[in-house]
Amino acid sequence: MPEMPSFPEVSIPKIGDGFYTPEIPSYPKKILNKKNDTNNDPKNSESTITDSSTTTDLLTNYFSNINRLTASDITSLSDSGSFNDISSLLNTGNFSSQTSSNVSTNVLLQQILKNLDDLKTQKSIPEDNTDKTSFTSFKDHNPSILRFKINGYDIKDSLTTVFLSKPENDGTFLLTADRRYIADKKVRNETFYILFKTLESSGSVLTYEVCPSIVQDSKNENSFIYRLTSLKNLKAQKTGNLVVLRSDARDCVVDLLLDIDN
C-alpha cells in the first residue's frame, strides 16, 4: 500500500482554559495616557482665541472658573487707580467712535477685558474683605442700575457687585456685574460684561451699539443673562444721564435703565 502523507500537528484548545486574550502592545497605552494628561491640563485645554470667536465663547475659554475676571476685581482696580477709563486701558489718549470705527464692538470688548485681566494679574488684587477706604475713587462719578428686568424677572436683586466705567468723551462706557442666584437647587455665580459703544449723536440723544457677554461657574443656557448675550443687533439710547436698553425678543424681553451720572 502507498504510504499516507503526513499532516502538520494542530493543537486542540482545552476546555476550561478560559478565553484567549491577545496581548496589547505597550505604545498605544502610552499614547492614551499622554492624551489624557494633556486634556487634564487646563492650559492645554484652552481654545485658541480668534477675532471670529463670539465674546462669550472667548471669555469662557480664556477665563478659568477660578480665575475669572469679576466685577469686584474691576472695581478694585478702578478704586486703586490702576486705570481711569477705557482710553487708559487701550492706551489711547482720545477715545472716540471715529477712532474706533474700524474695530468691531465685539473685538473692542475682548481687548478691554484682556487688558483688565492683565492688570489684575500684575496687581494681585486682594480679597473682597480688604479695607477699601484707603483707595481713591471717582467721587463725582456715582452711576447705578435703576431698573433691570428680563422676562419680568428682577435681575437687580441678584446682583452682588456692579461697576460702570467713566464714560469716554464720545459717551462709550462699560457695565459689568457679578450675579448670584439659585438654579436646580444650587447656588450659581456668573459675571456679565456689557459694552455700550457710541454709534451716533443726534442732539441730546446718543445711540449705542451694545455688546453683552458672560462668564459662568458652569454653563447654564437657561440663565436670563445668558439669554441676553445671545441677542443680536442690540441698541440703546441715552438722554441726559439715563441710558435705556430694551428688547422685545420672544424668549428674552429686556428692560434695562441706567443712570451713568456723567
Side-chain angles (χ1 to χ4, degrees), residues 6 43 55 67 75 98-99 104 135 148 151 157-158 165 170 185 191:
S6 60
K43 294 181 180 179
T55 310
N67 250 353
T75 300
Q98 287 75 27
T99 57
S104 70
F135 295 143
F148 192 5
N151 292 350
D157 289 343
S158 61
S165 71
D170 74 333
K185 299 181 180 180
T191 298

Side-chain angles (χ1 to χ4, degrees), residues 10-18:
V10 178
S11 299
I12 301 175
K14 297 179 181 179
I15 298 175
D17 282 350

Side-chain angles (χ1 to χ4, degrees), residues 43-56:
K43 294 181 180 179
N44 293 329
S45 64
E46 291 179 358
S47 301
T48 303
I49 297 173
T50 64
D51 288 348
S52 61
S53 303
T54 65
T55 310
T56 296

Side-chain angles (χ1 to χ4, degrees), residues 166-200:
K166 185 178 180 180
E168 299 299 312
N169 55 302
D170 74 333
T172 298
F173 68 95
L174 173 70
L175 163 66
T176 180
D178 298 328
R179 181 173 181 244
R180 179 173 295 177
Y181 64 101
I182 296 177
D184 297 327
K185 299 181 180 180
K186 295 180 180 178
V187 177
R188 302 293 305 273
N189 293 279
E190 59 189 19
T191 298
F192 65 86
Y193 319 87
I194 306 178
L195 180 62
F196 292 77
K197 180 184 174 185
T198 299
L199 279 181
E200 60 183 0

Side-chain angles (χ1 to χ4, degrees), residues 51-64:
D51 288 348
S52 61
S53 303
T54 65
T55 310
T56 296
D57 290 341
L58 179 141
L59 296 179
T60 300
N61 292 327
Y62 185 75
F63 298 130
S64 68

